[in-house]
Every structure is written in structure tokens, then in C-alpha cells.
Amino acid sequence: MSALLAAMVSAAVPAPAAEVAVSIKPVHSLVAGVMEGAGAPFLIVDGAATPHDFALKPSAARVLSRADLIFWVGPGFESFLARPLAALAQDALVVTLTRDSGISLLDPVEEGDLHLWLDPGNARAITETAVRELSRLDPGNAALYRRNGEKVISRIGALERELAERLAPLAGIPYMVYYDAFGYLERAFGLKAAGYASAGHEERPGAKSLAEARRILGAGVRCLFGDPGASPRLMAAMVSGLEVESGILDPLGAAMEAGPEHYFRLMRANADALVRCLGGGG
């Protein structure tokens, strides 16, 4: 009886006709939400790794070679993927989420900041793109993808309203970030960093940058936010002797569990960190 029931359940869940791969966890989370009930996309940068220090695994290379649809931010973010995509994914539809892709994403906040999913408006656009491209490649599951997409977009809207209410009291409170990676989050919720020590993960701040950071921190900044990859030693040196609290903002959620809930957990964790360090209340 249990075998018969398992067979009936299996038959009721349509198998995806397209094999899908996604580069990083926040985008993977949104695509996974659209695909729920039809299969799961393959995550390329898995575990607690980030695209800044990732080497493509043989298992991922095999998936790329047979994939039908691949989502990535673009060569400016996952530079390690550029050559493998060109060599292995010639038969796949590769969706690049940067502005030149033709996808209706919001305009970039500034050159070099590609953490576009931190703005819920872009998360909606990514979800809509996933629904469209999956439905085109896998029309047998199109209705499922549309229903799932509507659910994900509704959840993003509710999340956006929730975070806007929580973060509104923090507008105008000065803070600083270690890496310049949160422009989309700031624009979405009316926040503004007073400055940053490094333009990106590939650049370690030198003595001049650190001196300038300490000058900014000493001018009434309440909190310095690092990210999980920031040097604790440099973070401590930047706030030494100053009345500045420290916190962590996470643009990727690399240490968080992958899956449909990842994006929502990541965004709430960042809101929690902002409220906790800037003293805006619960």
C-alpha cells in the first residue's frame, strides 16, 4: 500500500523538463521557490563558499555541460564562471542578471556594486524572469511556475513592508560599512552609509583608507558593519578608542542553508543586525 501511495505521489509531481543551475544562494533561493514541486535547481557556489574565492568543482562542471538554463549575476561578480560557461554551457540559455541582460531590474546604485538582490524590487524581477524562462523551456510545468512565482512575489512584498516598518526609525542614523556591498539595501529602505573602508572583497584597505575610515567613524558614526569575510583584526583596529559599536551585515548568506527560505532569512538577518547595532528598537 505504501509503495502504491508513493507511486501515486510521484506521478502527481511533474518532473522538470529543464535542468537548471544557479550561481549563488540568494538567486538560487528565488529560483528554487519558483521550481518548488517540479524539482530543485543546482547550486554552483555551495556550502559556505563565496564567489570571491570559489573554484568550480568537477560535479558542477558536469551539471553546466548538460544544463538547459543557468542563472548568474555576471562576469563582474562570479568571474570564476565566465570561462566555464563559455566552454561548457554552449547549449544552455544563460541568464545574466546585470543591467545589460535586458531584464527589468532597477538601475544600479553605483558602478561596482552588483549585490542587486538586496533590493526587494530586484528580487521580484529575478522571480518574474525565472517564471518566464522556466515556462518557456518547460511548458508542461508553466502553470506551476506561475503559481509559485505569484506566491514568491507576494512573500517578497510582505517582507518589504515588514522591513520598511522596522528600518524606518534608522533613517539618518550614521553608520559605516567595511565593504561597499549594501547600496541596494540602503536605497530600498532609505538608509545611507557614511562611508566604507574598501570598495570590494578583492581590495584590502591600506593605511590611507584606514585612516580615512577612522576619521569618518570619529565624526559621530554609531556603528561599523563588517561582513562575514571582513578581517576581525582590521575591524578592531578601525574602532579602537572610539565609541563605535560593531556589527555584521551579510550580502550573500553563504553560511545559511540553501533553499526557498534562504532569501527571506538573509534579508531578515540583515534587518536584525541593523536594528541591534543602531539601536532602533525591536
Side-chain angles (χ1 to χ4, degrees):
M1 189 69 176
S2 59
L4 176 61
L5 180 60
M8 291 172 64
V9 171
S10 177
V13 177
E19 184 154 356
V20 183
V22 187
S23 59
I24 57 172
K25 285 184 178 179
V27 178
H28 175 271
S29 176
L30 299 169
V31 177
V34 174
M35 292 185 66
E36 207 161 18
F42 178 83
L43 175 62
I44 297 171
V45 183
D46 58 0
T50 74
H52 312 297
D53 55 8
F54 193 73
L56 192 70
K57 299 175 182 178
S59 58
R62 288 192 292 272
V63 170
L64 293 181
S65 69
R66 62 176 186 264
D68 301 295
L69 179 60
I70 301 168
F71 293 88
W72 71 324
V73 176
F77 195 78
E78 307 99 328
S79 57
F80 77 93
L81 256 184
R83 287 187 177 180
L85 287 179
L88 301 172
Q90 297 176 359
D91 296 328
L93 171 63
V94 178
V95 177
T96 304
L97 297 174
T98 43
R99 193 182 182 196
D100 60 358
S101 65
I103 296 170
S104 298
L105 299 176
L106 302 178
D107 289 337
V109 290
E110 61 184 50
E111 185 178 357
D113 184 358
L114 298 176
H115 302 81
L116 48 89
W117 56 88
L118 293 176
D119 188 322
N122 283 337
R124 280 191 290 272
I126 293 168
T127 303
E128 291 166 355
T129 300
V131 170
R132 183 180 64 247
E133 299 303 340
L134 283 162
S135 298
R136 184 178 300 168
L137 282 173
D138 183 15
N141 282 317
L144 175 64
Y145 297 142
R146 285 194 298 271
R147 288 195 302 272
N148 285 345
E150 290 168 0
K151 178 181 176 182
V152 173
I153 288 170
S154 176
R155 291 189 66 195
I156 292 170
L159 174 74
E160 187 173 24
R161 292 188 294 272
E162 171 195 330
L163 299 192
E165 182 177 351
R166 293 192 67 199
L167 298 177
L170 308 185
I173 298 178
Y175 65 92
M176 188 173 185
V177 292
Y178 187 86
Y179 288 124
D180 183 25
F182 300 96
Y184 285 98
L185 183 71
E186 292 164 3
R187 181 176 69 179
F189 298 106
L191 305 172
K192 179 63 178 176
Y196 55 85
S198 174
H201 290 267
E202 292 78 13
E203 299 180 22
R204 289 183 65 83
K208 184 176 180 181
S209 295
L210 290 174
E212 175 63 11
R214 281 186 57 81
R215 184 192 68 78
I216 296 171
L217 287 166
V221 169
R222 185 175 297 184
C223 190
L224 170 66
F225 288 103
D227 78 357
S231 164
R233 181 181 62 82
L234 288 179
M235 286 277 292
M238 288 168 66
V239 300
S240 177
L242 301 174
E243 294 184 2
V244 177
E245 299 293 327
S246 296
I248 296 293
L249 289 176
D250 188 349
L252 277 168
M256 296 180 179
E257 183 180 358
E261 294 301 317
H262 175 276
Y263 178 76
F264 301 92
R265 290 171 180 156
L266 171 65
M267 295 295 283
R268 288 191 174 100
N270 283 325
D272 290 344
L274 286 161
V275 170
R276 186 164 52 245
C277 200
L278 295 178

